[in-house]
Amino acid sequence: MSFSLQIYKKKRLELLQILDQYRLVLEEMEEEVEQEKVLDKKVQITEDHFQIVVVGEFSRGKSTFINSLLGKRLLPSSPSPTTAILNIINYQRNPSITLHYRDEQTPPKRVTEEEFARLVAPKEPIIGDDRSEREFSEKNHYLQTIRNAEIGHPLSFCEEGIQIIDTPGTNDLDPKREQITNEIIPRSDAAILLLSATKILSASELDFLRNRLIDNDLHKIFVVINYMDKLKTEEDRQKVIAYARENLRGVMNDPKIFMVSAREALNARRTANGETIMSQGKPAVIWDLEKTGVPELERALAHFLQNERGAVKLKKPIKQLSKSIDSVLEKRLAFERASLTHQLEDLEAKVQSFGPRIQKVKESGQEAISKILLELKKKEDELSRWYDKELQAIYSNVLTIFDNNRNRSKEDIKSCIENALGPMERELHQEKKEKIKETMKQVVETMSRSVNEEWFKLDQGIHSFWDVEGSEDHETSVTALALEDELPAYSIFEEIYEELDQSWERSTSKFAKAAIIAGFTLTAIANGVTAILSYGFNWLFGDDGKTRLRNQLDEQYRTLRKEKLSAFRSEWKGISSTLKQEYEHTIQQHLKQIELQLRQIRENARLSEADIQLKLEILHRREIKIKDIKNKLSALYLELDAQNQKMEITS
C-alpha cells in the first residue's frame, strides 16, 4: 500500500508504553490526580486521528477523488455538483452512515447508502417556474437541517488513523468558503485543494488561496490537479503543472503540486478488489495504479503527516507529562520523604486545622463559578453586539462595492466582491477568536483571585508542615504574600488557559467540540443561502437583473448575519459550559491532592522505625524510576523535534 503511517504509529506506541510505566508508578503511590491526567492523555493520544480536508470548486471531481483514496465508490459522483453537506469519513468495522442535525433535539438518523446518495445538491431551478423553484427551495431547506453526515466504513486508508472531511463544493461568493477556511482547515492536519487540468486555476481559486487562507494554513495545502486522463501527452501535463506552479508562486512558497487521474485510480483499485469495470458494454482498459499519480500523492501525504503533523501531535503531551513528572518529583516525593523523616508534635490537631481551610477553598470556588457565569453572560451580550456591528459593516461594504461596479461584467463584479469580502471575513474571524479566548481568560483570572489566594495559603501551609519553630510566623508571611498585587500571576487554572488557546487549532482540545459544532452548523446554513448566488449570476443581464441580484445579495447577507450571530452565541455557550466543568474539575483535583497528603502524614506518623526505613527505600526506587521515565520522554521528544527540523529544511 502506498499510504502508510508506520513511523508515526511506532513513535506513538513508544510514548504509550512510557505512559503505562509512569501510570504504574503513580498507582503504587496512590497518586489519583496525576493518574487521571495520564489516563486522559493516553485516551487523547490513542483516539487522536489525522484530519485530511478536501476542498474544491464544483466540477473538479472531488467525490471521485475521495473514492479513489478509499478504493470504493462510497460518495455519489456525477458531472454536475453533488456534495451538498459536510461528510466526515472514518474507519469503522461495520459500515454505517449517520446524519447529524443542526437541531440538537433531533436525534441522529441512520440512513442507507441509497438514501445517502440522494442527498446531493439540487439541480438549478428554472427561473419563473413555480414548481421548479419550489422543489429547489424544499430540497435546500432539508439540506440546511443537516449539520453533517458521518460515514463509517472498513477502509484500509482510514484504518491508518485517518479521518477525511469532504466539504461541499464551493465557488466564488459562496458563504461556505468562510467556514471551510476559518473553522475546518485550521483544525485539519492536511488540506487538499482539488483543481481541474482542463480549466486550471480559475480566478476564484486563486482568490480562495490569496484572500481566505492565513499563512499558518498554506504550508499544509496539497494542490492536486485532477483529470490527468483528459490530457493527451506528457508534454501537455508538464505545461499544466508549470502553469500552476508559476501562478501559485505569488501565493504559496514552493507549492506541493501533484497531478492525478482520480477516475483511473478508482478503477484500478476497484479492479484489484475483484470488481469488473465495464465501458461501453465491454471490460474497460485499466491503468496501472502507479501511473494515475495517486500513489505518489499518498506517499508525500504520509511523509508530511508522520514527520510534521505527527511529531507535533506527540510532542504536546510529552511536554505536559514532563510538567507532571516535575511536580511529582519536586512536591509529591519530597513531601512524603519529609513526612517520614520529621517528627511533629500535636500532629492530629495540626491536620485537623486544615479542615476549615479546605472548606474555604471549596466555598471560594463555588462563589467564583457563580461570578464567572454571570460575567460571561454579560460578556456574551457585549461581544454579540460588537460582532453584529462588524458583520453589518462588512456586508454594507460589500453592497457598496456592488453598487460601485454594477456597470462592469459579472465576473468583474464577483472578483471585486470576493477580493474585499475574503480578507474582511478572515480578519473578523481572527479578531472574534482572540476576543473569545482573552475575554474568557480575563474573566476566570479576575473572578478567581480569592480561590487562588486560598489555595496558595493552603498549599504553602501543607508544604511548611514541619517548620515547627516558625510555623506562626510562616503563616503570617504566607497570608501577607497571598494579598500582594503580584499574586494573580499564580493560578491553578493554567491548564484551562492552555486548552482555550488551542481550541481553534486542535480538534482534540476540550473546548474545541463546541466551536466545531457551531462551525459545522453554520456550514449547513450556508448551503441554503448559497442558492441565491448559485443560479443568480446565470441570468445577470441588464439593469433589471442586476437590481434583482443586488436585492438577493442583501437578503442573503441579512440571513447570514443572523445565522452567524446565532452560531456565535452557540459557540460561546458551548465553550462557557466546558469552562465551568473544567473549572470545577480543577478545584476538585487540587483538593483531592491535599487530602491525600494529609492522609499520608497521619499514616506515616504511626510507622515504626523499620517501616520508615523500608518506605524511604521504596521512595528512592520510585524516584529513580520516575527520573528514568522522564529521560525516556526527553529522548523521544528530541527524536520528534529532529523530525520536525528535517521537514522544515526539506520543505
Side-chain angles (χ1 to χ4, degrees):
M1 183 180 175
S2 54
F3 185 86
S4 174
L5 300 178
Q6 288 302 316
I7 297 173
Y8 169 76
K9 290 164 76 173
K10 181 181 177 182
K11 297 295 183 187
R12 183 180 65 180
L13 179 60
E14 185 179 343
L15 176 56
L16 291 172
Q17 288 172 340
I18 296 172
L19 292 190
D20 281 336
Q21 295 171 23
Y22 185 39
R23 183 183 59 79
L24 288 174
V25 177
L26 294 172
E27 189 176 350
E28 289 176 7
M29 296 170 62
E30 298 182 354
E31 187 62 55
E32 294 179 16
V33 172
E34 296 302 326
Q35 269 192 81
E36 184 181 337
K37 290 180 181 179
V38 171
L39 287 172
D40 185 46
K41 287 288 172 287
K42 187 174 179 181
V43 169
Q44 284 185 28
I45 294 166
T46 304
E47 294 183 352
D48 199 4
H49 44 246
F50 290 101
Q51 282 189 345
I52 301 176
V53 57
V54 183
V55 299
E57 295 191 350
F58 297 126
S59 305
R60 299 309 189 250
K62 191 156 56 66
S63 296
T64 301
F65 170 73
I66 293 174
N67 287 338
S68 75
L69 297 178
L70 305 178
K72 177 180 172 62
R73 293 181 65 179
L74 195 63
L75 300 176
S77 60
S78 75
S80 60
T82 53
T83 307
I85 59 176
L86 196 74
N87 299 314
I88 302 175
I89 305 167
N90 294 298
Y91 177 85
Q92 190 171 294
R93 185 170 298 175
N94 299 314
S96 70
I97 300 175
T98 305
L99 301 181
H100 298 272
Y101 294 90
R102 284 179 52 199
D103 184 356
E104 294 183 6
Q105 303 303 313
T106 303
K109 179 184 177 183
R110 291 277 291 269
V111 297
T112 64
E113 288 190 23
E114 292 75 20
E115 290 172 317
F116 175 69
R118 292 196 289 270
L119 296 175
V120 296
K123 294 181 180 178
E124 294 182 4
I126 301 171
I127 305 304
D129 184 321
D130 291 343
R131 180 180 175 183
S132 175
E133 290 187 348
R134 184 174 64 254
E135 289 176 353
F136 182 85
S137 177
E138 289 173 355
K139 183 71 176 286
N140 263 301
H141 176 72
Y142 176 66
L143 292 174
Q144 285 181 63
T145 67
I146 301 171
R147 190 178 76 220
N148 66 276
E150 185 176 359
I151 304 170
H153 210 279
L155 303 158
S156 57
F157 186 85
C158 295
E159 191 175 9
E160 291 282 323
I162 297 294
Q163 181 184 76
I164 295 178
I165 298 181
D166 173 30
T167 61
T170 65
N171 284 72
D172 42 15
L173 299 190
D174 191 327
K176 292 190 294 293
R177 280 188 166 205
E178 183 190 2
Q179 297 310 304
I180 290 169
T181 54
N182 288 343
E183 304 288 348
I184 299 173
I185 289 179
R187 290 193 181 92
S188 70
D189 295 292
I192 293 173
L193 174 63
L194 203 63
L195 306 177
S196 170
T198 59
K199 35 190 171 184
I200 188 68
L201 271 179
S202 66
S204 60
E205 285 168 332
L206 279 171
D207 288 342
F208 176 82
L209 290 168
R210 187 184 298 113
N211 300 325
R212 294 290 180 178
L213 296 174
I214 59 175
D215 292 341
N216 291 341
D217 293 326
L218 288 171
H219 81 287
K220 68 172 74 167
I221 301 289
F222 285 69
V223 177
V224 178
I225 305 170
N226 193 18
Y227 300 127
M228 176 206 292
D229 48 296
K230 294 188 178 182
L231 300 177
K232 293 182 179 179
T233 66
E234 180 61 28
E235 184 181 0
D236 290 339
R237 294 168 186 171
Q238 292 305 318
K239 284 181 180 178
V240 169
I241 292 174
Y243 178 86
R245 191 174 300 281
E246 180 64 28
N247 282 272
L248 286 169
R249 191 163 287 133
V251 181
M252 305 171 68
N253 181 29
D254 193 19
K256 298 183 277 286
I257 301 176
F258 301 84
M259 181 172 281
V260 305
S261 171
R263 185 187 69 173
E264 296 300 339
L266 176 59
N267 286 345
R269 282 181 164 157
R270 289 174 63 195
T271 301
N273 291 333
E275 293 186 57
T276 299
I277 311 299
M278 304 297 292
S279 175
Q280 297 179 347
K282 58 182 180 180
V285 176
I286 305 301
W287 284 27
D288 177 80
L289 180 61
E290 195 66 37
K291 291 183 179 179
T292 69
V294 170
E296 181 187 357
L297 166 66
E298 290 175 337
R299 287 190 290 270
L301 196 56
H303 181 72
F304 175 77
L305 291 177
Q306 292 194 112
N307 297 292
E308 208 278 356
R309 304 303 295 172
V312 171
K313 282 180 183 290
L314 297 181
K315 282 166 65 178
K316 283 181 179 177
I318 290 176
K319 289 176 72 174
Q320 292 166 337
L321 287 161
S322 294
K323 289 182 182 179
S324 167
I325 288 175
D326 288 340
S327 176
V328 169
L329 287 172
E330 295 168 11
K331 291 185 177 180
R332 179 71 170 80
L333 290 177
F335 178 86
E336 189 169 0
R337 185 174 286 109
S339 72
L340 289 166
T341 55
H342 289 73
Q343 296 296 320
L344 192 63
E345 296 180 5
D346 302 323
L347 172 67
E348 191 59 33
K350 290 182 181 293
V351 170
Q352 291 289 344
S353 71
F354 281 87
R357 302 185 191 183
I358 291 173
Q359 184 59 32
K360 200 165 184 180
V361 171
K362 290 179 181 177
E363 291 171 356
S364 295
Q366 288 302 314
E367 185 179 352
I369 289 170
S370 297
K371 290 180 178 179
I372 286 170
L373 294 177
L374 284 173
E375 189 64 20
L376 286 178
K377 179 58 184 171
K378 292 179 186 176
K379 294 296 183 181
E380 178 190 353
D381 294 337
E382 180 183 315
L383 288 181
S384 292
R385 288 192 294 273
W386 163 80
Y387 189 52
D388 191 32
K389 183 179 178 181
E390 294 297 316
L391 289 172
Q392 286 185 59
I394 287 176
Y395 297 143
S396 176
N397 194 8
V398 168
L399 293 174
T400 300
I401 291 170
F402 183 96
D403 292 337
N404 291 340
N405 291 276
R406 64 180 296 136
N407 293 325
R408 302 176 69 177
S409 70
K410 63 181 181 180
E411 293 303 325
D412 285 346
I413 292 174
K414 287 193 289 184
S415 181
C416 287
I417 291 177
E418 173 62 20
N419 286 336
L421 183 62
M424 286 191 293
E425 287 184 327
R426 184 181 68 188
E427 289 169 14
L428 179 58
H429 175 75
Q430 291 297 110
E431 192 173 355
K432 180 197 76 170
K433 181 177 72 174
E434 291 304 316
K435 279 184 178 289
I436 291 176
K437 288 194 299 187
E438 293 308 315
T439 299
M440 289 199 169
K441 286 195 282 187
Q442 184 182 27
V443 168
V444 171
E445 184 177 295
T446 303
M447 299 302 169
S448 299
R449 183 180 178 84
S450 177
V451 179
N452 283 320
E453 286 178 358
E454 294 301 331
W455 172 257
F456 186 84
K457 290 187 285 185
L458 181 60
D459 189 47
Q460 292 297 307
I462 284 286
H463 286 90
S464 63
F465 217 92
W466 296 275
D467 186 11
V468 182
E469 295 178 4
S471 60
E472 186 175 342
D473 292 338
H474 178 82
E475 179 67 20
T476 303
S477 67
V478 168
T479 303
L481 179 60
L483 297 176
E484 289 181 2
D485 290 339
E486 292 82 0
L487 186 60
Y490 172 87
S491 175
I492 63 174
F493 304 107
E494 290 299 329
E495 289 185 14
I496 290 179
Y497 300 155
E498 289 178 14
E499 287 288 334
L500 274 170
D501 283 336
Q502 297 170 359
S503 296
W504 285 264
E505 285 76 34
R506 189 164 62 92
S507 60
T508 54
S509 165
K510 293 175 183 177
F511 291 97
K513 293 179 181 178
I516 289 172
I517 289 173
F520 284 3
T521 299
L522 194 50
T523 304
I525 293 163
N527 279 322
V529 295
T530 300
I532 295 168
L533 289 178
S534 66
Y535 65 89
F537 276 109
N538 291 338
W539 46 265
L540 185 55
F541 299 105
D543 288 340
D544 289 343
K546 290 180 180 179
T547 298
R548 184 177 175 186
L549 182 57
R550 187 198 187 281
N551 292 337
Q552 288 187 316
L553 275 173
D554 188 20
E555 181 185 342
Q556 168 173 295
Y557 290 138
R558 287 176 189 273
T559 301
L560 198 55
R561 177 185 135 209
K562 178 182 175 183
E563 298 294 357
K564 279 186 176 182
L565 195 58
S566 175
F568 170 80
R569 287 188 177 275
S570 173
E571 184 178 37
W572 182 273
K573 284 182 172 64
I575 295 175
S576 296
S577 176
T578 304
L579 179 64
K580 176 179 179 293
Q581 294 169 13
E582 291 303 305
Y583 193 93
E584 291 174 329
H585 185 61
T586 299
I587 293 174
Q588 290 169 3
Q589 280 188 320
H590 280 72
L591 289 175
K592 188 183 288 186
Q593 185 67 54
I594 289 289
E595 289 165 352
L596 172 64
Q597 290 174 314
L598 291 172
R599 188 173 75 242
Q600 279 185 334
I601 292 172
R602 281 196 178 103
E603 291 173 356
N604 290 342
R606 302 189 190 103
L607 296 176
S608 65
E609 188 62 33
D611 288 336
I612 288 173
Q613 290 304 315
L614 177 61
K615 204 160 185 180
L616 284 171
E617 290 175 13
I618 292 172
L619 271 182
H620 180 64
R621 289 198 296 271
R622 285 174 181 165
E623 185 175 24
I624 292 173
K625 280 184 184 178
I626 292 175
K627 287 181 177 178
D628 180 57
I629 288 167
K630 184 177 180 181
N631 289 336
K632 288 178 180 178
L633 285 174
S634 298
L636 181 56
Y637 186 92
L638 290 174
E639 288 180 30
L640 294 167
D641 202 42
Q643 284 181 217
N644 263 152
Q645 292 177 10
K646 186 177 179 181
M647 277 293 295
E648 289 172 5
I649 292 171
T650 56
S651 61

